[in-house]
Amino acid sequence: MNRLLYTFLLSLGTLPAWALDMPEIFSDNMIVQQQTEAKLWGWADQRSYVTVHTSWDDKTYTATVSADGKWQTAVKTPAASFTPYTITISEYAVKGNGKKKDETRIDSRTIQGVMAGEVWFCSGQSNMEMPLGGFWNCPVEGANDAILHSARYSHAIRVVTVPKVDALVPQERVGGRWEVCSPENAARFTACGYFFATTLVDALNVPVGIINCSWGGSCVEGWLPKDTLLTYPDGLTPIDDTDYHRKMVMFNGMLAPLAGYTIKGFLWNQGESNVGREKEYIDRFKTMTRLWRKMWQQPNDKLPIYTVELPPYRYGDVDGTSAADFRAAQHEIAKQLEHSGCVCTSDLIYEHEVDQIHGAQKRQIGERLALLALTRDYGMKGVAADAPEYEECVVTDADAAEQAVIAGTAVGNNPNAKGKVLHLYFSDSYDGFDRMAGIEGFEAQDSKGVWHKALAWSSSAWQNVARQGCFIVLACPEADSIKAVRYRYHNFTIGTLHNMRGLPVVPFTAKVGE
């Protein structure tokens, strides 16, 4: 059957049983993960077989068609380059005894503009979904400039935006085709994913593909399958009656059809819909990640996943700690889960965004995600990617210099000014912080459990000490004794302290002596 006849029969609604078909994601301008065995699949008549020809190496692969009409194969991909290739898929009918001389080609299609590069799968809720053009009254900072200059990446960046599809059972296909980066298209691209991609292109000089599979408001349970959810006490009960809070429907309608498309790793920006349930979130997110890795069936099930810290927001009470507890859980997950990381975003918010869940500073989020990938997955040296995290504190007598700092405050006559101070040590801060004085956001808890604003400044010690390097000195004359310390540990609070590479100190709370 030739193409003309096929089209004619299709127009009449007489689609032949052997019609060659593939998921929409296998479209023109697609990017395949470089130097791997990239999976391709689709449907054809069970009495036929399929061949796949790749132009980069002039090889042909053969796939059998199963009884249910499905076929799959894997093709070896070349090193990354900006050279456009083609993939030609053909369906052949087998006649008689099945020998090649009796085979007839039924249909064929060619995918144009294929490039080999790095492919990343982006998922989560609205802060991942948020396009470069922004939402209503929710802009992305620098969007117009980014859209204008997106033409610079027309040769390098391709994006798939998966439509929102909910389903109660796993689907085999979902829409979404690869789009070329251009001012006309870029406004629709996921902002976080786009800035991640531009950073990778600039650093690696290779094509980058982004698959955006996200749904605003979705909870982590929306991205888990039914059989997993039924093992939890709350089962399939939705958080509320909104579509985006239903469980498993994103997994079935959007994720399942794409599972197996060969990628480099996952990017995840979600959590707002799970605030207040951080303990169960730790288990469910780790379960989700390991499940996804198995579904993708790539070597060793070790696909990396990099997440975005929950943004500062009111969450019912700006001074509450439910969101802070959730952020702490996210960083705990990053420590427990293999091949994972969490970027801190406490400094990427403005005062006027206290009631705006969609912060405007998406460029920095994408760049920080890219730094994790560049250092951990691409072996880039010389750049910093990990934000400083609290490690330990040492209780010590205030020396003369520390006493002078305390005495210079309004409570300088307090007898505690000559008492104990804490030296707080952080990872990734050996050479110090971005300021020595004027450090805000630290608090100390007294013996009655009351929190007080604490004095904090940076210092260092290099000789005759148990731990060399820079640290934060903390004092709180109002507290009779300090039982715990914390930094920016509230629902809405703006981080202002960074290490020498501009990465923010991760908010924390810790008991003294633990």
Side-chain angles (χ1 to χ4, degrees):
M1 177 187 297
N2 60 32
R3 281 283 184 183
L4 184 60
L5 179 57
Y6 176 84
T7 304
F8 174 71
L9 291 176
L10 182 62
S11 68
L12 295 178
T14 313
L15 185 64
W18 54 77
L20 181 65
D21 200 7
M22 295 182 73
E24 284 77 356
I25 197 170
F26 298 116
S27 69
D28 289 348
N29 302 309
M30 66 184 285
I31 292 184
V32 295
Q33 180 61 38
Q34 67 158 324
Q35 297 180 306
T36 60
E37 291 193 354
K39 296 182 180 68
L40 301 173
W41 68 90
W43 303 271
D45 184 78
Q46 64 183 34
R47 296 160 295 181
S48 65
Y49 73 94
V50 172
T51 64
V52 177
H53 181 267
T54 51
S55 69
W56 53 80
D57 55 7
D58 198 31
K59 286 188 177 181
T60 299
Y61 304 80
T62 300
T64 58
V65 181
S66 60
D68 59 0
K70 298 177 182 177
W71 61 267
Q72 178 176 303
T73 191
V75 301
K76 292 183 179 180
T77 59
S81 76
F82 300 106
T83 302
Y85 298 108
T86 61
I87 300 176
T88 300
I89 304 96
S90 301
E91 180 184 12
Y92 291 85
V94 179
K95 298 180 181 179
N97 60 12
K99 293 182 179 180
K100 286 191 175 181
K101 65 179 182 180
D102 296 325
E103 295 166 354
T104 303
R105 188 168 73 172
I106 302 170
D107 198 3
S108 182
R109 62 177 60 186
T110 299
I111 304 173
Q112 306 281 352
V114 179
M115 291 194 298
E118 297 299 314
V119 183
W120 286 80
F121 190 93
C122 302
S123 192
Q125 56 183 111
S126 57
N127 273 307
M128 181 61 84
E129 177 191 345
M130 188 175 183
L132 197 53
F135 291 138
W136 290 102
N137 294 317
C138 305
V140 170
E141 191 171 77
N144 208 44
D145 184 66
I147 293 168
L148 171 65
H149 293 102
S150 64
R152 297 176 180 174
Y153 298 96
S154 62
H155 69 297
I157 293 176
R158 305 284 187 270
V159 177
V160 174
T161 302
V162 179
K164 296 177 182 177
V165 177
D166 60 329
L168 297 179
V169 295
Q171 302 298 297
E172 290 190 335
R173 65 192 309 160
V174 68
R177 295 176 176 271
W178 292 94
E179 291 187 283
V180 175
C181 187
S182 69
E184 181 180 3
N185 296 331
R188 298 190 298 273
F189 295 168
T190 160
C192 282
Y194 175 77
F195 290 123
F196 173 87
T198 58
T199 307
L200 251 59
V201 172
D202 291 345
L204 302 175
N205 194 34
V206 299
V208 174
I210 296 293
I211 301 172
N212 176 22
C213 182
S214 55
W215 188 326
S218 59
C219 52
V220 70
E221 293 85 356
W223 301 95
L224 285 167
K226 181 178 180 179
D227 57 350
T228 298
L229 293 168
L230 289 177
T231 66
Y232 300 141
D234 51 338
L236 301 177
T237 305
I239 296 175
D240 55 36
D241 59 359
T242 56
D243 286 343
Y244 51 79
H245 277 159
R246 287 190 294 164
K247 299 177 180 179
M248 79 177 176
V249 297
M250 294 86 187
F251 175 91
N252 290 331
M254 300 169 67
L255 185 86
L258 301 176
Y261 189 100
T262 307
I263 60 175
K264 184 68 173 182
F266 301 105
L267 304 178
W268 177 259
N269 193 342
Q270 188 276 336
E272 295 88 338
S273 292
N274 286 89
V275 169
R277 297 183 290 130
E278 66 279 352
K279 292 182 180 179
E280 62 191 33
Y281 187 86
I282 292 176
D283 173 68
R284 295 181 185 188
F285 179 80
K286 291 193 295 185
T287 297
M288 183 199 79
T289 299
R290 289 167 178 154
L291 173 66
W292 286 15
R293 287 170 173 168
K294 289 182 179 179
M295 291 173 63
W296 257 257
Q297 296 180 333
Q298 292 185 217
N300 303 318
D301 293 333
K302 291 182 178 180
L303 288 172
I305 185 165
Y306 301 126
T307 64
V308 180
E309 184 186 82
L310 191 75
Y313 178 67
R314 184 180 296 278
Y315 298 102
D317 177 10
V318 293
D319 293 321
T321 61
S322 59
D325 292 337
F326 191 90
R327 295 182 194 109
Q330 289 181 297
H331 288 282
E332 184 61 29
I333 290 170
K335 294 182 178 69
Q336 295 179 8
L337 184 63
E338 60 277 9
H339 309 290
S340 67
C342 180
V343 297
C344 181
T345 64
S346 64
D347 59 331
L348 302 180
I349 204 75
Y350 296 114
E351 288 285 357
H352 68 269
E353 293 177 320
V354 60
D355 292 310
Q356 176 53 275
I357 196 67
H358 306 114
Q361 300 177 68
K362 292 293 187 284
R363 178 188 296 275
Q364 297 91 326
I365 294 176
E367 290 173 346
R368 289 176 185 177
L369 287 168
L371 286 174
L372 285 179
L374 287 168
T375 56
R376 299 188 184 188
D377 303 297
Y378 299 106
M380 180 167 285
K381 306 295 184 183
V383 296
D386 296 304
E389 293 194 58
Y390 171 82
E391 291 186 334
E392 63 176 333
C393 76
V394 176
V395 181
T396 184
D397 293 325
D399 62 22
E402 291 165 344
Q403 290 181 27
V405 173
I406 300 172
T409 69
V411 292
N413 294 324
N414 189 304
N416 292 317
K418 295 184 179 181
K420 303 290 185 179
V421 295
L422 305 184
H423 291 178
L424 308 181
Y425 291 90
F426 297 81
S427 63
D428 299 285
S429 59
Y430 179 80
D431 52 354
F433 302 88
D434 63 349
R435 63 193 64 197
M436 297 182 66
I439 297 175
E440 301 288 340
F442 281 91
E443 295 175 279
Q445 187 184 54
D446 64 22
S447 60
K448 297 180 180 179
V450 178
W451 288 96
H452 303 273
K453 182 178 179 180
L455 301 173
W457 64 96
S458 60
S459 187
S460 62
W462 308 95
Q463 294 180 343
N464 302 318
V465 290
R467 177 167 174 170
Q468 288 187 334
C470 297
F471 51 87
I472 297 296
V473 182
L474 183 143
C476 187
E478 290 91 345
D480 53 353
S481 62
I482 299 177
K483 300 300 182 182
V485 294
R486 66 186 183 185
Y487 170 73
R488 298 295 182 187
Y489 207 79
H490 298 282
N491 290 345
F492 184 86
T493 181
I494 302 175
T496 53
L497 182 63
H498 304 75
N499 67 7
M500 295 286 283
R501 296 296 184 91
L503 295 170
V505 171
V506 174
F508 74 94
T509 185
K511 293 181 179 179
V512 174
E514 292 187 0

